[in-house]
Amino acid sequence: MVTLVRPANEETIMTHHASQRRAYLTLVLISLFCLMPFFWVVLAAFDPKASQFLQIPDGITVNHFWNLLANESGVRWVLNSVGIVGTATLLTLILAGFGGYALSRTQAWWKRPLLYAIILVRIVPPPALIVPVYKVMLFLNEWINNLINSLTSDVAQQVVLSRIFSFVDGYLGLILIQTAMQLPLAIWIMKTFFDAIPKDYEEAAALDGASQWQTVRHVLIPLALPGFAAAGLFAFINAWGDFLMPLMFTSSPELQTLPLGMFRAFLRVDAIDYGFLTALAVIYTLPAVIAFAFARKFLTQTFSGGVKG
Amino acid sequence: MFNMTYEARRQFGYRIMMTPALVLMAAFIVFPAFYAFSLSLTDDALLGFAAQESSYVGLRNFSRLFSDPLFWNSLKVTLIFVIGSAVIGQFVLGFASALMLQRPVKYKSIFNAIICLPNAVPEMVVGFLWISMFASGEYGTLNRLVAWFGVEPQQWLYTFPLMSIIIVNTWRGIAFAMILLTSGLASIPKDIYEAARVDGATDTQIFWRITVPMMMPTIFLYMFISTVTTFAIFGLVYTLSRGGPANSTEILGIYIYNQSFTAFQLGYGAAVAVISLVVSMVLGIIYVKALKVEV
C-alpha cells in the first residue's frame, strides 16, 4: 500500500528493505537462542539411546513415556505434584475470591494501607523466609501431631493422618505454604476484576429478590470468571514450578513431587537415566506451557499490583 | 449483630470474608518476616547445644556478617547477577524483540510464542536443560556451537560460572521484558511518529528522542519488577550450580540456604535474611511511592 504522507521513492524503499531484514535477523537470532535448549530435551525423550548430549536419534521410541507409567516413583511424583499444586490452586482461588471481593467492596479506612501492604508481602523474597518459616512449620507440626496422637491410638491411622496433615513432610503443610505464597498476587487480580463489576448489579439482583448466595452465584461469579481464570493460572504456574518449598519441607520418598524428585534423581551422577528424566521433563513442562499460553493475555493486567506473574 | 444496620452488617461481612486469606498470609509470610528479625539476634542452630536452647546474642550475628568475606561475595554476586540478567540481558533482548515485532513482519505470533516458551518452563527443568547446553567435552551443545568459531571446548559452569547463570536467567526472562515493553510501545500515540517522519527525522533520532522518553514509565516499571523478582531467585541457580564452584554463584538466597541448612546456623542465616528483607522492602516502598499505584 502506498502511504500518502511519504512518497515511495527509491531511497525509502531501500532503507525499508534493509530495516525489514534487520528486524527478521534480530527476531530469528533471539528465537534461536530461546529454542536452543529445547532441542536436546525433546529429541532425547524419544531417543532410545538418550544421553546428556544433543544428538540426532537413530530411531524414534515412545518407550521412555511408557516406562514412566511403569516406574513407581515417576508416577508418584506426577500424582503428588498434581494433588498438591491442584489443591493449593483451588484453595488460592476460593480465598482470593472472597478476599478480593471484600477488598474491592469494603469502605474501611484501612483499605488502602492494606492493599499497599499486600504489594509489599508479594515482594518478600521467599529465600529470606526459609529460617523463620521452618520454625513456624516445626511448631505447627508438633501441635498437629500431638492432636492426631490424642485423637487416635491406632498406630496405622496415626501414620496415615500424620502423612496427610503434617506441616513438615506432609501434604497439608506444603499445600498451605504454596497457597500463602500465591495469595498476594491472586487477591490483587481478583480485587481488580471485582472493581470493574458495578455495585449496581448486586443491588439490582437484591431488589429483584435474589438471596445473597444467588447474587454471588448468578451475578458475581460469572462476571468475575476471567479474573478467576487469570488468578488460577498464575497461582498454578508459580506453584507448579516452585522448587524452594518442596526442597524445604519434603524428605520422605512417598511425598516427593516432580521438581525435587527429578533433582535428586539427577544428582545420582553415576546412574542418570536420561531417557526417563527427559521424558519426565517433557511431562513436567507441558502443563506449565499450556497454562502460560492461556495466561499470557492476562499478564499485562497483573502489573498494576506491581507483581510479575 | 442483630441491631446492626444493613450497611454495617455488610461491612462486617467483608471483614469475615477477607480474614482466611489474611490469616494465611500473616502466618506464613508476615509473621515469619518479623520473626526473622528476632531470630537474627540469637545463636539458634539446627544441631548441637544451641539447637536445644538458643540464647540472645545481640547484634553479634550482624557484626560477624559484615566482616564475613563470603557475605560480601554473595552480595556482589547477587548485584552482578541482577544487573547482568535483569537490567541488561533481559531488557536489551526484550526491548529489541518488542521493537522488531512492532514492525510489519510476518509470523509475529510464532516469534512471540517462541520467545515466551522459556518463561513457562519450571525452574528445575531450566537447570536440567542448561546443564546439557553447558556440558563439557567436545559433544556439549555450546561447545559444538563455539567450535564453529574455532573456540576450544570449555567447562562453562566451572570457567564462567557467573556468566553462565546470567545467560540462563536472561534466556528465561526475555519474554517478560518483551510483553511489558510491548504494552508500553502500544500506548505511544502513532501520530507523533507520523509528525516526526514528516519533519524528516531518522529512525535513530525517532528512537532516542521519542520512543525512549515516552517509554520511561514502562522502563521504570520493568526495572523495578525484574529487579525484585531476580533478587528473589533461588531454584534456578540452585539446580544449576548450588552456589558453586567455590561460592562463585552464591546469590543471596542460596547463601541464606547454605548458612542455615548446610552449615546449620539458623541465627546467622536469619541475619542474612534480614538484610535481604530490608533491601527488598526499601525497593518496594520506593516503588509504591514513586508509581502512586492506583488502589
Side-chain angles (χ1 to χ4, degrees):
Chain A
M1 206 173 80
V2 185
T3 52
L4 292 174
V5 187
R6 205 165 13 145
N9 62 38
E10 231 164 78
E11 198 189 347
T12 49
I13 288 173
M14 288 288 285
T15 54
H16 178 73
H17 278 285
S19 74
Q20 280 303 90
R21 262 204 306 279
R22 259 206 317 276
Y24 280 115
L25 188 67
T26 313
L27 287 171
V28 166
L29 283 178
I30 292 176
S31 299
L32 275 178
F33 175 49
C34 289
L35 276 182
M36 193 57 95
F38 291 103
F39 295 139
W40 166 70
V41 76
V42 173
L43 288 177
F46 296 98
D47 185 346
K49 283 181 281 183
S51 77
Q52 195 190 0
F53 301 113
L54 177 63
Q55 60 200 14
I56 306 295
D58 295 336
I60 285 180
T61 175
V62 287
N63 278 345
H64 299 314
F65 291 92
W66 287 120
N67 291 344
L68 281 185
L69 291 175
N71 183 308
E72 203 189 329
S73 51
V75 174
R76 180 175 289 145
W77 298 342
V78 173
L79 290 180
N80 278 339
S81 276
V82 170
I84 291 171
V85 175
T87 314
T89 306
L90 198 66
L91 197 57
T92 304
L93 280 180
I94 296 170
L95 297 185
F98 281 119
Y101 172 66
L103 269 167
S104 164
R105 295 296 188 257
T106 185
Q107 279 149 15
W109 61 268
W110 38 260
K111 173 179 173 166
R112 183 176 284 261
L114 184 60
L115 281 164
Y116 285 141
I118 293 175
I119 295 183
L120 293 184
V121 168
R122 168 72 182 166
I123 290 168
V124 168
L129 292 179
I130 53 178
V131 175
V133 161
Y134 180 74
K135 290 258 166 190
V136 170
M137 297 284 258
L138 275 185
F139 173 81
L140 291 170
N141 198 43
E142 201 177 301
W143 171 77
I144 198 102
N145 277 299
N146 286 338
L147 187 71
I148 289 170
N149 294 344
S150 68
L151 285 177
T152 171
S153 50
D154 181 348
V155 178
Q157 274 181 12
Q158 282 179 358
V159 170
V160 174
L161 286 174
S162 166
R163 165 68 60 230
I164 298 172
F165 292 107
S166 278
F167 280 82
V168 177
D169 215 21
Y171 286 101
L172 183 67
L174 217 51
I175 290 170
L176 287 183
I177 189 119
Q178 294 281 24
T179 306
M181 292 294 168
Q182 309 316 325
L183 271 174
L185 176 64
I187 286 185
W188 256 95
I189 293 176
M190 291 316 299
K191 182 224 165 249
T192 316
F193 273 89
F194 281 119
D195 279 349
I197 303 173
K199 224 176 164 180
D200 309 357
Y201 289 15
E202 291 159 61
E203 276 154 14
L207 281 179
D208 287 346
S211 71
Q212 181 109 44
W213 170 241
Q214 282 172 323
T215 313
V216 169
R217 239 204 94 180
H218 296 293
V219 179
L220 284 173
I221 292 183
L223 283 172
L225 222 48
F228 280 109
L233 286 166
F234 286 117
F236 173 80
I237 293 170
N238 290 338
W240 184 255
D242 182 41
F243 179 81
L244 181 58
M245 293 307 154
L247 177 69
M248 289 292 303
F249 298 113
T250 53
S251 55
S252 56
E254 303 92 78
L255 200 77
Q256 217 73 261
T257 56
L258 277 167
L260 212 61
M262 284 181 64
F263 181 66
R264 288 192 175 144
F266 190 60
L267 282 187
R268 292 201 304 260
V269 184
D270 47 330
I272 302 178
D273 180 350
Y274 278 100
F276 171 72
L277 280 180
T278 47
L280 203 56
V282 170
I283 299 280
Y284 181 28
T285 307
L286 273 181
V289 169
I290 294 168
F292 190 83
F294 284 109
R296 197 197 167 294
K297 68 172 175 196
F298 297 116
L299 202 59
T300 37
Q301 291 169 10
T302 63
F303 298 148
S304 62
V307 274
K308 183 165 166 179
Chain B
M1 265 298 295
F2 293 106
N3 50 21
M4 276 185 189
T5 64
Y6 172 71
E7 192 49 40
R9 255 204 326 272
R10 278 246 294 247
Q11 294 298 330
F12 183 75
Y14 295 144
R15 283 173 209 204
I16 300 291
M17 280 187 242
M18 64 177 91
T19 303
L22 295 182
V23 166
L24 217 53
M25 285 191 287
F28 292 110
I29 305 175
V30 180
F31 170 72
F34 284 100
Y35 191 28
F37 282 84
S38 88
L39 276 172
S40 72
L41 304 176
T42 68
D43 62 354
D44 203 355
L46 266 185
L47 287 176
F49 184 68
Q52 314 293 314
E53 215 169 301
S54 60
S55 53
Y56 176 79
V57 295
L59 293 172
R60 203 188 296 163
N61 282 324
F62 288 93
S63 62
R64 188 186 137 194
L65 186 92
F66 288 120
S67 58
D68 183 350
L70 280 181
F71 168 70
W72 291 109
N73 168 65
S74 169
L75 216 52
K76 193 185 83 193
V77 168
T78 309
L79 196 71
I80 297 175
F81 179 62
V82 170
I83 292 177
S85 61
V87 176
I88 299 174
Q90 296 172 1
F91 176 71
V92 170
L93 293 181
F95 205 2
S97 315
L99 282 169
M100 296 307 139
L101 286 171
Q102 289 288 102
R103 304 218 180 150
V105 290
K106 285 185 206 159
Y107 316 116
K108 256 184 208 182
S109 52
I110 294 177
F111 284 126
N112 215 307
I114 291 173
I115 295 171
C116 283
L117 202 54
N119 206 259
V121 178
E123 285 179 320
M124 164 60 216
V125 179
V126 173
F128 192 52
L129 295 184
W130 278 91
I131 284 174
S132 163
M133 281 289 287
F134 288 134
S136 50
E138 55 179 315
Y139 294 115
T141 311
L142 194 56
N143 277 338
R144 276 198 268 183
L145 279 177
V146 298
W148 292 348
F149 303 97
V151 180
E152 295 287 300
Q154 301 286 330
Q155 288 196 300
W156 300 100
L157 282 166
Y158 286 89
T159 321
F160 310 102
L162 189 49
M163 198 58 214
S164 299
I165 62 168
I166 288 174
I167 289 173
V168 175
N169 194 43
T170 298
W171 172 80
R172 192 153 193 262
I174 298 174
F176 175 70
M178 178 187 76
I179 293 170
L180 182 49
L181 295 168
T182 300
S183 77
L185 284 174
S187 66
I188 303 177
K190 292 285 163 288
D191 34 338
I192 299 186
Y193 287 115
E194 293 291 334
R197 287 246 161 71
V198 171
D199 290 347
T202 66
D203 281 357
T204 324
Q205 284 173 325
I206 288 174
F207 177 74
W208 288 108
R209 306 264 177 91
I210 298 177
T211 310
V212 171
M214 296 287 280
M215 286 289 284
M216 263 340 205
T218 316
I219 292 175
F220 178 77
L221 177 66
Y222 165 78
M223 286 301 167
F224 166 76
I225 299 177
S226 65
T227 302
V228 165
T229 44
T230 309
F231 193 69
I233 282 181
F234 178 87
L236 186 95
V237 178
Y238 193 81
T239 52
L240 267 170
S241 69
R242 277 185 288 169
N247 312 93
S248 55
T249 57
E250 201 172 39
I251 54 171
L252 223 42
I254 292 178
Y255 185 62
I256 295 172
Y257 183 84
N258 285 343
Q259 289 301 321
S260 310
F261 295 98
T262 310
F264 306 128
Q265 314 169 69
L266 295 183
Y268 185 67
V272 186
V274 165
I275 303 289
S276 152
L277 281 168
V278 168
V279 171
S280 37
M281 285 307 105
V282 167
L283 283 174
I285 290 165
I286 292 173
Y287 165 74
V288 169
K289 291 217 154 164
L291 234 73
K292 299 194 179 60
V293 183
E294 283 296 314
V295 175

